[in-house]
Amino acid sequence: MLRLKGRRRKLEAKMRRWQRFRPELWAAVGSKNRERWTDLRDTEKSCQTSSIATASASAQARNHVDAQVQTEAPVPVSVQPPSRDDIPRLAAFLRRVEAMVIRELNKNWQSHAFDGFEVNWTEQQQMVSCLYTLGYPPAQAQGLHVTGISWNSTGSVVACAYGRLDHGDWGTLKSFVCAWNLDRRGLCPRQPSAVVEVPSAVLCLAFHPTQPSHVAGGLYSGEVLVWDLSRLEDPLLWRTGLMDDTHTDPVSQHPRGETEVGATAVAFSSFDPRLFILGTEGGFPLKCSLAAREAALTRMPSSVPLRAPAEFTFSPHGGPIYSVSCSPFHRNLFLSAGTDGHVHLYSMLQAPPLTSLQLSLKYLFAVRWSPVRPLVFAAASGEGDVQLFDLQKSSQKPTVLIKQTQDESPVYCLEFNSQQTQLLAAGDAQGTVKVWQLSTEFTEQGPREAEDLDRLAAEVAT
């Protein structure tokens, strides 16, 4: 380009010299030659390349389209059934590995690595938390305590008995049995779904094992009443009345049969329906049987023949026993708790306890085995707390201590929910029922836990 420009300047200078100094030569140049020189000069001045075509547009960016998927569309894969030529080879392969597969399955079947382990697909709960604080204001206004708790057979309804466990002239005061359906929408913690007025203080409560609306209560007057909570107008189904054959003292538990000792608590074996443990006012746990043949010695006449059910006496507590609980995982183990603040773990094969744990400086009012963890139990104390023990972690101190009452008023009763196993209900002297959601560590059974319980029982028996 520079070379062409230089050539053009030289030609123009030469033409100017010819016009100035050689006009006769310029005139002699024909018109045709002059047009040739002019065309050459104009062409050099305009452009040395072809013209560029341009156009204006309203948008200066490329057109683009957004898609929901930024990758290429998947190509459907069609699975072809095995051809007839493949079937003999598949059959030969299965025959070849059959013995090996059976051998490995037998080894797995004989393994005890996962004994007692159950898969739990529920969400992991890391802490113990209070789900509900339930109460009936008219009962609380009278200063009544929650003296008994029971879950119904579906695990959705919790009922409580109102009464008092201290001494006084309150035994003839009107009392209540209240129930809350925790599965019902719009649950009101201060408004029970069912309320039954009772003419005497209720000291204990138990739902029917299969009828979810039937519940029995033991009264201070000595009567036992049965209600159907689904009948709101007239819930009373049955009552013992006050006769010569009925109780002459307050009913604090529901044993089947009668004894002359002061029975304060009862628990039936999960393995033998005839076998039960009695807690007594004297502090002695008694092993009893409904199949007893020996006649009972009674001071009062009775219209029915009475038997002496006691078969074995265990070493005593330092005071009356308030609660006993048989293990749902071992036929020979049971727990007891009483006024000495101790929990005793007994084997039915010997009188002395396996171990004795002092959990409170005051009374212990309740103790219960977990329905899903063989080495877990809970105890309710007179200092206002609920203690959760895991013997797999420690045999001396609780794994979790739950503060039920802030003023340290006693916790009188507690019950695990055998259907919704993450729930534990506890009732206290403030007339309150608290439903606690247990952490996963108390609801999921670990491997070999049942074997550890068997080992504990075997150590005691030797």
Side-chain angles (χ1 to χ4, degrees), residues 240-400:
T240 58
L242 295 176
M243 301 178 295
D244 291 340
D245 292 333
T246 57
H247 293 283
T248 57
D249 290 320
V251 179
S252 57
Q253 280 280 343
H254 296 287
R256 289 175 283 181
E258 295 187 25
T259 63
E260 286 295 320
V261 300
T264 55
V266 62
F268 276 83
S269 169
S270 300
F271 299 87
D272 185 349
R274 301 170 301 174
L275 182 65
F276 61 98
I277 299 295
L278 278 183
T280 65
E281 290 181 345
F284 291 90
L286 300 177
K287 178 183 176 181
C288 304
S289 175
L290 296 175
R293 298 291 183 181
E294 184 179 351
L297 300 176
T298 61
R299 292 174 297 175
M300 299 180 62
S302 175
S303 60
V304 294
L306 300 180
R307 305 295 181 186
E311 296 181 340
F312 190 77
T313 303
F314 300 93
S315 300
H317 280 260
I321 295 174
Y322 276 158
S323 183
V324 290
S325 179
C326 292
S327 170
F329 295 95
H330 198 287
R331 64 183 310 112
N332 291 329
L333 297 181
F334 70 94
L335 296 165
S336 62
T339 59
D340 59 358
H342 284 74
V343 164
H344 287 184
L345 173 60
Y346 288 96
S347 168
M348 295 188 187
L349 302 179
Q350 64 181 39
L354 284 168
T355 186
S356 178
L357 305 173
Q358 183 172 5
L359 306 187
S360 176
L361 298 177
K362 298 181 179 180
Y363 293 179
L364 288 179
F365 290 99
V367 64
R368 291 290 183 271
W369 283 102
S370 164
V372 291
R373 285 283 315 276
L375 293 172
V376 167
F377 68 88
S381 84
E383 296 176 278
D385 53 49
V386 175
Q387 301 183 34
L388 290 170
F389 267 81
D390 186 348
L391 297 178
Q392 202 168 37
K393 293 185 176 181
S394 175
S395 60
Q396 300 298 322
K397 61 181 181 180
T399 304
V400 172

Side-chain angles (χ1 to χ4, degrees), residues 177-191:
V177 169
C178 299
W180 291 262
N181 188 337
L182 303 187
D183 288 346
R184 180 173 296 176
R185 291 185 178 181
L187 171 69
C188 181
R190 312 297 289 174
Q191 185 176 345

